[in-house]
Amino acid sequence: MTQYDSIYITADIRWHKQYYPLLDRQVFSIDLITDGLIFDSVWNIQGTGQNLYVSDIFLPLTDTLLQEGVYQLDSIPSAFTILPYKDFEGGRPTGCYMIDIANNSVNKIFGFVTGSMLVEYLNATDIRLEFSLYTTDSVHYRAIYQGPFEYND
């Protein structure tokens, strides 16, 4: 079992108010990048590093912010769950995955099928996100983000 560890420096948290209009859940996503990567003016990732993308984070309909607690990867969209990785429409990743980028090009995509995310608010402007994720071949991936946050929609 290989283990990968990453410290993320930028977090973009999004609240998708109308993402699943027929689902009785709030949906969030988190986009994290390591040092060495930037988003250019048209939102393409440039540089060398890792991009952890966590889409489809579900909470009760009454929540408009991520709640503190542990979220589990699960294919059923219930409260405090994250959809696992899925190859969508023949080559487009969705769910929870990490892209390893070398010199502006995708080197490898790690799709996570089990694991968890811990959310803690440190104060009014800082959040801590801690990930323990596993691929289908049991590669363990740990990642942390600690710093400022803001919600976008």
Side-chain angles (χ1 to χ4, degrees), residues 8 28-30 32 51-58 71-74 81-87 92-99 109-117 130-136 141 143:
Y8 288 89
F28 295 84
S29 67
I30 301 173
L32 300 130
N51 172 219
L52 177 61
Y53 188 68
V54 186
S55 67
D56 301 328
I57 303 166
F58 298 103
Y71 296 70
Q72 298 291 329
L73 271 70
D74 195 323
T81 63
I82 299 167
L83 288 184
Y85 168 78
K86 183 174 181 180
D87 183 352
R92 207 172 100 212
T94 189
C96 184
Y97 60 94
M98 189 267 295
I99 303 172
I109 296 175
F110 293 85
F112 302 112
V113 294
T114 62
S116 63
M117 171 182 75
E130 189 172 324
F131 300 88
S132 180
L133 305 166
Y134 294 87
T135 64
T136 55
Y141 181 77

Side-chain angles (χ1 to χ4, degrees):
M1 174 191 307
T2 306
Q3 180 172 302
Y4 292 86
D5 296 303
S6 295
I7 304 294
Y8 288 89
I9 60 159
T10 303
D12 178 43
I13 301 172
R14 296 200 178 260
W15 173 34
H16 303 283
K17 291 185 259 191
Q18 300 300 322
Y19 200 64
Y20 288 105
L22 301 178
L23 186 67
D24 64 344
R25 299 275 179 253
Q26 292 290 0
V27 183
F28 295 84
S29 67
I30 301 173
D31 203 353
L32 300 130
I33 60 173
T34 59
D35 194 21
L37 290 178
I38 61 164
F39 289 106
D40 67 15
S41 62
V42 291
W43 209 243
N44 292 317
I45 297 176
Q46 301 292 316
T48 296
Q50 295 167 343
N51 172 219
L52 177 61
Y53 188 68
V54 186
S55 67
D56 301 328
I57 303 166
F58 298 103
L59 280 168
L61 202 51
T62 55
D63 293 327
T64 57
L65 300 173
L66 283 177
Q67 297 302 305
E68 288 189 313
V70 177
Y71 296 70
Q72 298 291 329
L73 271 70
D74 195 323
S75 59
I76 299 170
S78 56
F80 289 89
T81 63
I82 299 167
L83 288 184
Y85 168 78
K86 183 174 181 180
D87 183 352
F88 186 67
E89 295 180 350
R92 207 172 100 212
T94 189
C96 184
Y97 60 94
M98 189 267 295
I99 303 172
D100 184 63
I101 300 166
N103 301 317
N104 306 331
S105 296
V106 173
N107 185 38
K108 185 169 183 173
I109 296 175
F110 293 85
F112 302 112
V113 294
T114 62
S116 63
M117 171 182 75
L118 171 68
V119 174
E120 297 178 300
Y121 288 96
L122 303 175
N123 54 46
T125 60
D126 294 313
I127 196 169
R128 178 180 171 83
L129 305 170
E130 189 172 324
F131 300 88
S132 180
L133 305 166
Y134 294 87
T135 64
T136 55
D137 53 353
S138 299
V139 173
H140 185 208
Y141 181 77
R142 295 182 316 173
I144 294 174
Y145 172 76
Q146 185 169 310
F149 71 94
E150 75 177 62
Y151 286 91
N152 299 297
D153 55 357

